[in-house]
């Protein structure tokens, strides 16, 4: 099933990431936070379908998508060429990365645009959850951190939330964690006593699962989309 959505607003989040508010008049989105939709269009005679995860919570007639443009990206270039008032075809929302237990202590681990499902899940947890929550986010540099202002506002408003950034190209003005974000998780939380939600490029997800397993995190408490190991294996063949 598809919907025709109207681009209602566009905001620059970083030099390469735009947020699009897409509205489907007369429709109420009732998905689970963390699930993804698809953007669908024709390009050079072929249908292009790409998944994107809303950062907004369900219950209204609109969703927000944060989309990073890539130099060789077909779908990201298409979306970054959209303007307010344009129409975009989107698919039904689905996916496995959803909040399992709002009463458990949780940690979200994300890199790059992997923040989109974890950001939605974080907002849901802060609304419904009762435990302690850490949000770990890895990026290249400070300029590229998506939703930093909102994350810091949420951290100030919620005593149970701790946000940790790790930058791979930190620069002289950064005195926080550096390198791979998953390498810092054990510095902040007891990994055996948390639910983990992990999202990023496939290799990062696989590496994070392995690291958490080595640290004693139960496999059944580490949640991802579930397709990442196959994607990494395919890349290696």
């Amino acid at each position: 099933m598809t919907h025709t959505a109207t681009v209602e607003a566009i905001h620059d989040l970083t030099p390469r990431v735009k947020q699009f508010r897409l509205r489907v008049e007369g429709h109420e989105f009732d998905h689970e936070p963390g699930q993804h939709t698809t953007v669908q269009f024709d390009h050079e005679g072929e249908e292009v379908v790409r998944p994107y995860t809303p950062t907004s919570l369900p219950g209204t007639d609109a969703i927000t998508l944060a989309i990073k443009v890539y130099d060789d990206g077909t779908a990201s270039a298409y979306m970054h060429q959209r303007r307010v008032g344009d129409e975009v075809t989107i698919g039904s929302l689905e996916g496995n990365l959803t909040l399992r237990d709002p009463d458990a202590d949780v940690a979200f681990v994300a890199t790059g645009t992997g923040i989109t499902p974890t950001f939605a899940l974080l907002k849901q947890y802060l609304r419904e959850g009762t435990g302690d929550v850490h949000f770990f986010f890895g990026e290249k540099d400070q300029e590229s951190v998506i939703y930093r202002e909102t994350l810091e506002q949420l951290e100030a408003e919620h005593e149970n939330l701790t946000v940790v950034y790790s930058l791979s190209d930190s620069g002289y003005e950064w005195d926080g964690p550096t390198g791979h974000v998953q390498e810092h998780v054990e510095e902040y939380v007891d990994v055996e006593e948390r639910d983990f939600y992990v999202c990023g490029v496939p290799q990062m997800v696989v590496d994070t699962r392995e690291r958490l397993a080595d640290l004693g995190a139960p496999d059944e408490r580490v949640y991802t989309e579930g397709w990442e190991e196959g994607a990494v294996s395919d890349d290696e063949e």
Side-chain angles (χ1 to χ4, degrees):
M1 181 178 181
T2 61
H3 300 283
T4 299
T6 302
V7 179
E8 192 171 58
I10 303 173
H11 298 288
D12 292 326
L13 298 180
T14 74
R16 298 185 70 86
V17 179
K18 292 181 182 292
Q19 176 178 277
F20 299 86
R21 179 175 173 83
L22 306 179
R23 183 168 180 259
V24 180
E25 187 173 359
H27 175 75
E28 180 176 312
F29 289 97
D30 60 356
H31 61 284
E32 293 288 330
Q35 292 185 313
H36 61 266
T37 184
T38 54
V39 170
Q40 306 179 19
F41 59 97
D42 290 327
H43 176 71
E44 297 181 352
E46 295 185 2
E47 184 183 28
V48 177
V49 180
R50 293 290 187 274
Y52 295 104
T53 305
T55 58
S56 52
L57 294 179
T60 71
D61 63 355
I63 57 174
T64 57
L65 304 178
I67 299 177
K68 180 178 180 179
V69 66
Y70 294 91
D71 293 338
D72 58 350
T74 301
S76 64
Y78 169 82
M79 285 302 297
H80 274 242
Q81 293 166 3
R82 299 309 95 192
R83 298 293 181 264
V84 172
D86 286 351
E87 292 185 339
V88 177
T89 300
I90 60 174
S92 300
L93 281 101
E94 57 186 15
N96 302 317
L97 194 61
T98 57
L99 187 66
R100 300 313 204 272
D101 184 0
D103 295 320
D105 291 340
V106 301
F108 300 100
V109 187
T111 56
T113 51
I115 194 176
T116 56
T118 51
F119 187 56
L121 288 167
L122 172 65
K123 291 193 288 187
Q124 180 188 15
Y125 188 87
L126 292 175
R127 176 184 290 184
E128 303 174 7
T130 61
D132 186 53
V133 52
H134 280 67
F135 194 93
F136 298 91
F137 182 52
E139 250 299 355
K140 179 181 178 181
D141 50 41
Q142 295 189 67
E143 186 180 50
S144 302
V145 175
I146 307 171
Y147 293 121
R148 182 175 181 180
E149 182 177 342
T150 303
L151 286 169
E152 292 178 351
Q153 180 179 345
L154 290 173
E155 186 177 29
E157 294 172 350
H158 298 272
E159 294 182 356
N160 62 330
L161 171 61
T162 300
V163 179
V164 180
Y165 306 102
S166 184
L167 305 182
S168 58
D169 184 14
S170 53
Y172 67 93
E173 295 181 346
W174 180 254
D175 58 1
T178 59
H180 294 155
V181 67
Q182 63 267 27
E183 297 174 354
H184 299 284
V185 171
E186 66 265 32
E187 300 171 20
Y188 294 86
V189 302
D190 181 352
V191 299
E192 298 182 14
E193 302 297 331
R194 295 260 168 168
D195 282 357
F196 284 89
Y197 298 84
V198 185
C199 192
V201 296
Q203 189 64 60
M204 170 269 181
V205 175
V206 171
D207 291 347
T208 301
R209 287 193 73 107
E210 293 177 350
R211 185 175 186 87
L212 291 174
D214 290 342
L215 293 170
D219 183 66
E220 64 271 15
R221 298 190 70 174
V222 181
Y223 304 106
T224 69
E225 284 284 5
W227 50 264
E228 294 86 0
E229 289 196 24
V232 171
S233 298
D234 290 343
D235 289 342
E236 292 175 347
E237 292 178 353

